[in-house]
Amino acid sequence: MMKLKWESISNLQQNTFLIKLVAATLITCLAFRFFVLRFGQFSPVQVSVNGNSNSQISPSSVILSDNEDQIPVDIEVEKCDLFTGKWIKDPLGPIYTNESCGIVVDGHQNCITNGRPDSGFLYWKWKPNDCSLPRFDPMRFLQLMRNKSWAIIGDSIARNHVESLLCMLSIVEKPVEVYHDENYRSKRWHFPLYNFTISNIWSPFLVQAAIFEDSNGVSSAAVQLHLDKLDNNWTDLFPSLDYAIISSGEWFLKTAVYHENANPVGCHGCPESSNMTDLGFDYAYNTSLRHVMDFIAKSKTKGMIFFRTSIPDHFEDGEWHNGGTCKKTEPVSEEEVEMKVLNKILRDVEIVQFERVVTETGNLKLLDFAGMLLTRPDGHPGPYREFRPFDKDKNATVQNDCLHWCLPGPIDHLNDVILEIIVNGRTGK
């Protein structure tokens, strides 16, 4: 009897030991996996505006993901209008600097390097009214986009946006430019560690256009615009994309001759001697967007397609070519600013055309950033689109840019919203 009892005790001790050994092994494996996921793919980028290695972004300034690289599909998320909210103070500021992202930033948007004296405009973030909005997490974005392709399609604001996104991602991995067209307007970048590509497709009208203007936007002749023929610079690439952001708008305000069925049908800003009917830019924009939206609806693409509304400018006391300026240094409230009539017309056309087809395409989503950026007149280069414009003469008359956005700057927060939509499926109202 004693012998049987002793053997039972001995077996119990052995089983307890084995259980402890298995538990310890599992804990060790989990800890090792956590360490690898958190730190294994990160290496700080060290670049400057001239490409030299003299400025480093600390890993502590970046939010690093340590969990899955799959998009959750079965999590219930509270509804929230991400596009209605306000700008609040953000002591952390941007996750990259003007020096760390000189590799891709257009010189006209590198405001701090160009001598802009104030930096308060960098320390604000977008806060939706009904929910929290996480800061953009570049590592999580790249993990989600492994083996995928993006394109941001449109005009110079689209280029401004793609540069913002590249700057935010470059603190995890430096992108490699793998393509550019003859005029360096359309480009493509690759992130080798993630096999992820981002294309910026220059197509300011989204339809075929003959444009006659220099690099400063000065036209020598009216644009010849074919309203019913889409620009194949983007349509050829479209079927292969996993994600696309499509936008247009401001360019339709230019003087143009309109063609349909290969025949001139009217114009905008027609000279009196033209003998053509001035149909107005809204006619052209509505017709062109109708063809764009029909193409998207019929494409049967499996990718996620975003249509971004046009973004208002903040010129005061003039416009681009007649002395307009933007001197504000912090955000304004909705009560302090009103969208210009022309911007309202563009946005109305966009909303009508989007809503006409959205029920036919479950993967088409609206990015309505017009109101969000309307209250950020402080975020533009202003006179600092050129390098140190007042060094020789503090009273010099210089070209102001109150349309594009400083980098870093408010346009970076578009990426906060976009990542939240991708991860949690939140949209607008």
Side-chain angles (χ1 to χ4, degrees), residues 165-385:
L165 181 57
L166 288 168
C167 284
M168 299 178 89
L169 297 177
S170 68
I171 56 180
V172 175
E173 183 186 5
K174 181 179 177 180
V176 178
E177 185 180 317
V178 294
Y179 166 81
H180 61 76
D181 65 6
E182 183 179 356
N183 297 314
Y184 289 81
R185 285 195 151 177
S186 292
K187 296 182 179 181
R188 183 174 300 121
W189 294 265
H190 183 236
F191 290 81
L193 290 179
Y194 298 88
N195 190 30
F196 169 55
T197 59
I198 301 180
S199 299
N200 178 211
I201 307 300
W202 172 257
S203 185
F205 293 101
L206 301 177
V207 295
Q208 294 180 19
I211 302 170
F212 310 94
E213 69 175 38
D214 61 22
S215 58
N216 290 316
V218 178
S219 299
S220 58
V223 176
Q224 301 294 315
L225 199 57
H226 296 269
L227 306 181
D228 54 352
K229 295 181 180 180
L230 299 185
D231 182 0
N232 60 10
N233 283 331
W234 70 272
T235 57
D236 288 350
L237 184 66
F238 187 81
S240 66
L241 296 172
D242 297 295
Y243 292 85
I245 300 177
I246 300 172
S247 61
S248 188
E250 288 280 340
W251 278 66
F252 280 86
L253 302 179
K254 294 178 179 290
T255 299
V257 175
Y258 303 144
H259 300 257
E260 291 182 79
N261 297 316
N263 294 309
V265 295
C267 57
H268 170 58
C270 314
E272 291 183 4
S273 59
S274 69
N275 264 342
M276 284 191 289
T277 303
D278 195 325
L279 298 174
F281 71 88
D282 53 333
Y283 170 85
Y285 195 32
N286 191 67
T287 303
S288 299
L289 269 193
R290 187 177 73 249
H291 288 290
V292 169
M293 292 298 180
D294 286 345
F295 171 82
I296 294 172
K298 294 173 183 176
S299 67
K300 302 192 185 305
T301 178
K302 295 181 180 179
M304 181 179 289
I305 310 303
F306 296 99
F307 179 74
R308 176 180 60 73
T309 56
S310 53
I311 294 174
D313 65 70
H314 291 95
F315 285 101
E316 296 181 359
D317 303 318
E319 296 296 333
W320 182 278
H321 294 299
N322 59 1
T325 61
C326 41
K327 299 179 180 179
K328 291 184 171 60
T329 57
E330 61 181 33
V332 297
S333 66
E334 291 180 352
E335 293 73 30
E336 296 176 273
V337 64
E338 185 176 357
M339 191 178 294
K340 296 177 182 178
V341 172
L342 294 180
N343 294 125
K344 286 181 179 178
I345 294 172
L346 291 173
R347 185 178 175 279
D348 287 346
V349 169
E350 292 158 355
I351 298 300
V352 167
Q353 287 301 329
F354 173 83
E355 291 181 343
R356 184 177 63 84
V357 300
V358 67
T359 56
E360 304 172 31
T361 52
N363 55 348
L364 177 62
K365 299 182 182 299
L366 185 69
L367 297 177
D368 189 8
F369 291 120
M372 174 179 169
L373 290 177
L374 179 64
T375 53
R376 291 306 305 270
D378 58 320
H380 302 288
Y384 297 100
R385 68 186 299 268

Side-chain angles (χ1 to χ4, degrees), residues 26-185:
L26 285 172
I27 291 170
T28 302
C29 290
L30 288 171
F32 177 75
R33 184 175 183 272
F34 174 82
F35 178 84
V36 170
L37 284 174
R38 187 169 180 86
F39 300 108
Q41 298 182 40
F42 179 79
S43 103
V45 175
Q46 300 183 33
V47 290
S48 68
V49 287
N50 57 14
N52 296 326
S53 301
N54 60 3
S55 178
Q56 177 173 329
I57 293 184
S58 167
S60 63
S61 66
V62 186
I63 305 171
L64 299 179
S65 287
D66 55 12
N67 48 27
E68 79 290 337
D69 61 356
Q70 299 297 317
I71 299 175
V73 295
D74 57 352
I75 298 175
E76 187 70 26
V77 179
E78 61 179 314
K79 290 185 178 181
C80 175
D81 182 357
L82 297 174
F83 304 101
T84 301
K86 61 182 179 181
W87 294 92
I88 62 173
K89 289 281 190 179
D90 176 24
L92 295 177
I95 65 173
Y96 69 95
T97 71
N98 59 302
E99 289 186 339
S100 73
C101 200
I103 51 173
V104 294
V105 174
D106 185 304
H108 293 322
Q109 278 77 64
N110 206 335
C111 304
I112 300 299
T113 296
N114 287 346
R116 179 167 172 168
D118 63 302
S119 61
F121 71 98
L122 298 174
Y123 295 93
W124 297 84
K125 66 180 179 181
W126 179 248
K127 171 65 175 69
N129 288 337
D130 301 324
C131 62
S132 61
L133 178 62
R135 288 168 66 88
F136 183 81
D137 181 341
M139 180 169 281
R140 187 175 195 195
F141 183 93
L142 285 169
Q143 288 173 340
L144 292 171
M145 296 303 144
R146 190 183 299 278
N147 301 320
K148 290 181 169 49
S149 61
W150 270 69
I152 299 181
I153 301 160
D155 55 20
S156 54
I157 300 298
R159 183 191 65 226
N160 203 173
H161 183 196
V162 80
E163 290 176 355
S164 164
L165 181 57
L166 288 168
C167 284
M168 299 178 89
L169 297 177
S170 68
I171 56 180
V172 175
E173 183 186 5
K174 181 179 177 180
V176 178
E177 185 180 317
V178 294
Y179 166 81
H180 61 76
D181 65 6
E182 183 179 356
N183 297 314
Y184 289 81
R185 285 195 151 177

Side-chain angles (χ1 to χ4, degrees), residues 1-15:
M1 187 72 179
M2 182 65 77
K3 182 179 179 180
L4 181 60
K5 185 175 181 180
W6 172 254
E7 287 177 350
S8 298
I9 293 172
S10 177
N11 290 335
L12 180 62
Q13 289 175 336
Q14 288 177 356
N15 291 339

